[in-house]
Amino acid sequence: MAALTPLLKARGLKRHFGGVKAVDGVGLDLGPTGVHALIGPNGAGKSTLVGLLSGRITADAGIIEFAGRDITRLPAHARVRLGIAYTFQVTSIYPRLSVEDNVTLAVRHPSGDVTTAARAALARVGLDIHARQIAGDLSYGHQRLLELAMGLALTPRLLILDEPTQGLAAGEIAGFSALVRDVARDASVLLIEHNMDVVMDLADRITVLDFGRVLASGTPDAIRKDRAVQAAYLGA
């Protein structure tokens, strides 16, 4: 069976900040569906790589292709229109607006039916009953779900989740994991996550960064057994 053509393909990505090689020749393939986790120690270059993929940081070198198109120099807002959605490590909601208004502001829906798209996204994450509530009054876990709804309302082909379980209770993590599995049936999910139980449970493939370079990439089982990864990150 032939391998699926990657939805996103990155080759030779570099971004240096002075003498710091935050990302130093990274390559990455993301399939059209499924969950690909990005892990590594603090300072490994994960946030910089995500910035490069989302268009929030400009690459010094390398190429990024999305659905066969070169997007290396495309700004972030243009990548969103192509189907790349990104949720932040720290919640970025509008705390004084209603839950529904938060999602409505995020939507650039091709049908023009913004309200329908917003309500569908809220229902998908279980926040439809809170649609009229002020976003800042939500619990932290619900605020994280609201940000996820803001991403889902864009009907993304690629959803980038940056530390989405940070601050969530165990029960909230279980619900989040079920939601990600559902999303990954029809879209590609790039998961940046420190919770290794979540990573090993959700990921189809894992890429490990260390000092701005790819240390290893493979299935969860292969990554778990990789001695270089154990020494650098897993602590085994």
Side-chain angles (χ1 to χ4, degrees):
M1 183 176 177
L4 293 175
T5 301
L7 174 64
L8 182 140
K9 181 168 67 175
R11 295 291 182 270
L13 287 183
K14 293 185 179 182
R15 178 62 193 218
H16 299 174
F17 299 97
V20 177
K21 298 179 179 180
V23 171
D24 193 30
V26 168
L28 183 69
D29 285 349
L30 301 179
T33 59
V35 179
H36 193 124
L38 182 65
I39 67 172
N42 290 331
K46 302 185 298 296
S47 294
T48 301
L49 178 58
V50 167
L52 295 173
L53 298 179
S54 64
R56 299 177 185 279
I57 300 174
T58 303
D60 294 329
I63 187 170
I64 305 169
E65 293 181 358
F66 184 75
R69 174 178 175 177
D70 186 343
I71 63 168
T72 311
R73 300 300 168 188
L74 211 60
H77 65 86
R79 299 188 196 195
V80 170
R81 287 199 294 269
L82 289 180
I84 300 176
Y86 172 48
T87 69
F88 293 87
Q89 182 174 351
V90 179
T91 53
S92 58
I93 64 170
Y94 303 96
R96 297 184 180 181
L97 298 181
S98 74
V99 168
E100 184 174 308
D101 285 345
N102 266 264
V103 182
T104 299
L105 282 174
V107 173
R108 303 288 185 273
H109 205 269
S111 69
D113 193 349
V114 171
T115 301
T116 298
R119 289 176 179 171
L122 286 173
R124 194 170 187 184
V125 302
L127 288 182
D128 46 327
I129 61 174
H130 299 284
R132 296 299 180 187
Q133 188 172 341
I134 297 302
D137 292 338
L138 293 174
S139 68
Y140 183 79
H142 280 169
Q143 288 183 19
R144 299 299 307 216
L145 286 176
L146 172 56
E147 190 181 31
L148 181 55
M150 292 164 71
L152 292 177
L154 297 167
T155 57
R157 299 178 68 184
L158 169 60
L159 179 62
I160 302 174
L161 302 174
D162 194 353
E163 298 291 347
T165 68
Q166 182 174 282
L168 298 188
E172 293 171 327
I173 290 175
F176 162 81
S177 296
L179 180 59
V180 170
R181 288 191 194 96
D182 181 60
V183 172
R185 292 190 181 100
D186 302 308
S188 182
V189 177
L190 179 61
L191 176 68
I192 299 87
E193 181 59 65
H194 275 105
N195 186 324
M196 291 307 299
D197 289 337
V198 171
V199 168
M200 293 299 177
D201 179 48
L202 285 178
D204 302 298
R205 292 188 64 81
I206 300 171
T207 293
V208 185
L209 290 186
D210 194 29
F211 295 107
R213 291 180 172 269
V214 174
L215 179 64
S217 189
T219 64
D221 189 53
I223 293 300
R224 190 183 287 112
K225 295 175 181 176
D226 190 294
R227 292 189 177 184
V229 175
Q230 291 173 0
Y233 186 54
L234 297 181

